[in-house]
Structures are given as C-alpha cells and as structure tokens.
Amino acid sequence: MRSRVIMVLAVLAVLLGAGLLVPAAYARLGGEDGALSGIGGSAAEQVPAPTPTAPPPPTLAAGPVAVNFKGEYFSWALMDRTTGKVSGSKNLSATNSTESMLKAWIVSDYLRQLGDKEPSASLKKQASLAIRDSNDDAANAVYRAAGGSYKVPAGGQPGPVVKRAISTCGLTDTKRGNVPGYEGWWSFTRMSPRDAVRLGDCIADGKAAGPKWTKWVLDEMSKVRGSVSQQQTRSGGGKWGIVDGLPAEIKAQGPVSIKNGWTPLSYDGNWHVNCLAVTDKWSLAVMLRYPQSGKLDYGAKVCASVATQLVTPQPGAALKVPQQPVGKL
C-alpha cells in the first residue's frame, strides 16, 4: 500500500513540474506577457534596412542615337570589345574616305614589321607626330617605311599597307580610293564605321602593332593634342569629337585612345570627317560628309553627341534599393 502511495505522489510531482515549465518557456519566447514575437512583433522590426546599391560604372552601350544631321552622309558603329558585337546606324557598312584616321594603322603596320627591333630615332619621332599632331609629312615617311607606294595598284586592289589592314583586322568593307588621279593615296581609302571599329579593336588587342609596340601606339593615341581651331596646312589639332562627349567617369576608368581624320575636299565640296576612339571596353567610330560651310567644329560636335547618347547608364541614374526582406520567426 505504501509503495502505491509513493508512486502516485511521484507522478503528481512530475505533472506539476511540467505545468510550471511550459508557461516559463512561452514567457521566454514572447516576453513577459507571453506573446509570440516575429508575427507583427519586435523581431520583424529589427531587420536592418537595405543599403542602396550604386549603378554600375558608366560605359558605352548600344542604343538609339538621334542627330539632326545636315549633310550627305552620317554613319556610326560601336563594338563591345568584350563580346565582339558591333551595333550602329542602319548604314554602318557604307564607306567614307579615311583621311588621317588611317594614320594609326600606318604607324601600327610599320612598327609590327620591326618586331623587337627599334626604329631609327627619326622615324620613331615621325610616327609619334603622325598620331599626336596628325602630321601629313611624318605619316608619309612612315607609310613609305612600311612599304607603301602612291602608284595605282593593278586590278583595282588597294596597296600593300591597306591590304594588310584588311587581312590582319578582318575588314570587309574597306577598299581602294576611287577619286580620279588619287587612287593610290592612303588618305582616300574607303572604310565603313563597321570596319573602323574593327580597326580600333585590332590596334587595342595587339594584332595591328604586335606585342612590343601596342602599348606605345595606344599611349600616343591617348596623347593626341590640339583643338579644332588649331589647324595648319600639313598638320592640325585632333583632340576633339568622341572624347568631348564622354563623361569624366568614363575618362577616369583608363586612357581613351583616339585618331580622327578630317579634310575639306574640293572634288565634292564636303568636309570628310571621321572620329575613332577605343578603350579596353569598346571601340566607337563616327563618319560624316557635309558641306564645307558647316566648318570642322560642326563635325566634331556630331561625333561628341553620338558618344554622349551611348553612355550607359546616363548621368544622374538613381540608386537601386533592394527589396525589403521579410522577417522570420
């Protein structure tokens, strides 16, 4: 009998202890009033506010371009150098005379042929002047050193310097100039914006000038100097156009290498203006023909406008705020 009483008392003690523990556990979960937090309670309110994320650094990307252009020919192309994709105006395969834009290739072609050898001090100086000051006499000296000739090639083919540009850089629209009496001149070489961005990429990736000289050529192209108002008979200021349309945030990412070409030609009464710029991310070309009454400054502003319209994201883009996370128990 006594053992049964002891057993009953033990069971009652266990049940009584459990009854006291359960309310205490609920009190620890929900506070002194025993309410569960996390369902409209303090735990959800303690989730930290999301931190706004800044937009990616600006670059140039394909997009619509609107220019109130007054002239005979306007075309542009942009290459994404990461993917190799080329986009641009509907007539991006239409050609213009290259003018001084081709000097960047002429210098690259000559230096690549040297391999690891150094050019003479005179020719190296002329190569620099051909790019930095767009000096015609310097460019002609380098052109001859690269194997160029002003004789009209047979069969309508371009000369050896331009032929190497076509084969080395994979150009598809480039051809010999068609101006009577000037067919052998490198400046009258016909090139499209699509081929021009391929040429810029070819210079930047090392195929044009080779491993020893690529950095030197790109550095010279980043040091082009002189404004549209600083023009001489055989040279001229060439730091204008695309580079003027880029925001400081893009210029701060690294050098922008440029080479423009421009000439007022008597045979058609037009300015022939070409703008080429290349970075490690993109290659952009804008090519124009318009009446000489428009002045060089007009073409420079058109090139700058195209570049500005392709900046992505546009300046002043808002910070992105992540979605507020949902609180959990």
Side-chain angles (χ1 to χ4, degrees), residues 101-289:
M101 185 180 70
L102 196 65
K103 290 172 181 173
W105 165 258
I106 293 171
V107 169
S108 297
D109 184 52
Y110 165 65
L111 293 173
R112 186 192 66 259
Q113 294 180 63
L114 292 179
D116 292 331
K117 296 186 295 183
E118 285 284 331
S120 68
S122 174
L123 268 174
K124 190 172 184 180
K125 179 67 173 178
Q126 289 173 314
S128 176
L129 291 175
I131 293 176
R132 292 195 191 194
D133 295 334
S134 204
N135 187 288
D136 292 339
D137 296 327
N140 287 334
V142 178
Y143 180 69
R144 288 190 293 268
S149 169
Y150 291 96
K151 294 180 179 179
V152 179
Q157 295 297 312
V161 173
V162 175
K163 285 183 72 174
R164 285 193 292 270
I166 294 170
S167 60
T168 302
C169 302
L171 311 184
T172 57
D173 310 316
T174 301
K175 59 196 73 161
R176 191 185 78 185
N178 56 5
V179 180
Y182 299 93
E183 293 90 345
W185 288 36
W186 55 260
S187 59
F188 287 104
T189 300
R190 308 291 299 183
M191 186 178 290
S192 67
R194 177 168 64 180
D195 272 0
V197 297
R198 291 167 174 162
L199 185 73
D201 178 63
C202 186
I203 293 171
D205 72 9
K207 289 196 293 288
K212 179 177 174 63
W213 295 104
T214 294
K215 185 177 183 301
W216 186 89
V217 171
L218 291 172
D219 186 58
E220 292 296 310
M221 292 173 68
S222 72
K223 293 176 179 176
V224 167
R225 53 199 173 195
S227 68
V228 291
S229 64
Q230 297 173 305
Q231 303 299 316
Q232 295 81 43
T233 303
R234 304 290 294 168
S235 65
K239 189 176 182 180
W240 42 263
I242 292 170
V243 70
D244 291 335
L246 301 176
E249 292 85 352
I250 287 183
K251 295 177 185 178
Q253 294 173 25
V256 180
S257 300
I258 68 171
K259 187 66 195 83
N260 297 326
W262 64 101
T263 305
L265 294 175
S266 59
Y267 75 87
D268 67 356
N270 284 323
W271 274 103
H272 289 221
V273 175
N274 309 299
C275 301
L276 173 64
V278 62
T279 71
D280 60 349
K281 297 180 177 65
W282 48 263
S283 178
L284 174 64
V286 184
M287 306 180 81
L288 318 163
R289 286 193 304 274

Side-chain angles (χ1 to χ4, degrees), residues 86-104:
V86 177
S87 56
S89 57
K90 291 181 179 180
N91 64 339
L92 55 73
S93 63
T95 63
N96 198 24
S97 60
T98 59
E99 308 306 327
S100 294
M101 185 180 70
L102 196 65
K103 290 172 181 173

Side-chain angles (χ1 to χ4, degrees), residues 282-306:
W282 48 263
S283 178
L284 174 64
V286 184
M287 306 180 81
L288 318 163
R289 286 193 304 274
Y290 58 90
Q292 292 179 27
S293 59
K295 307 300 182 184
L296 178 56
D297 184 61
Y298 176 72
K301 289 178 179 177
V302 171
C303 290
S305 175
V306 172

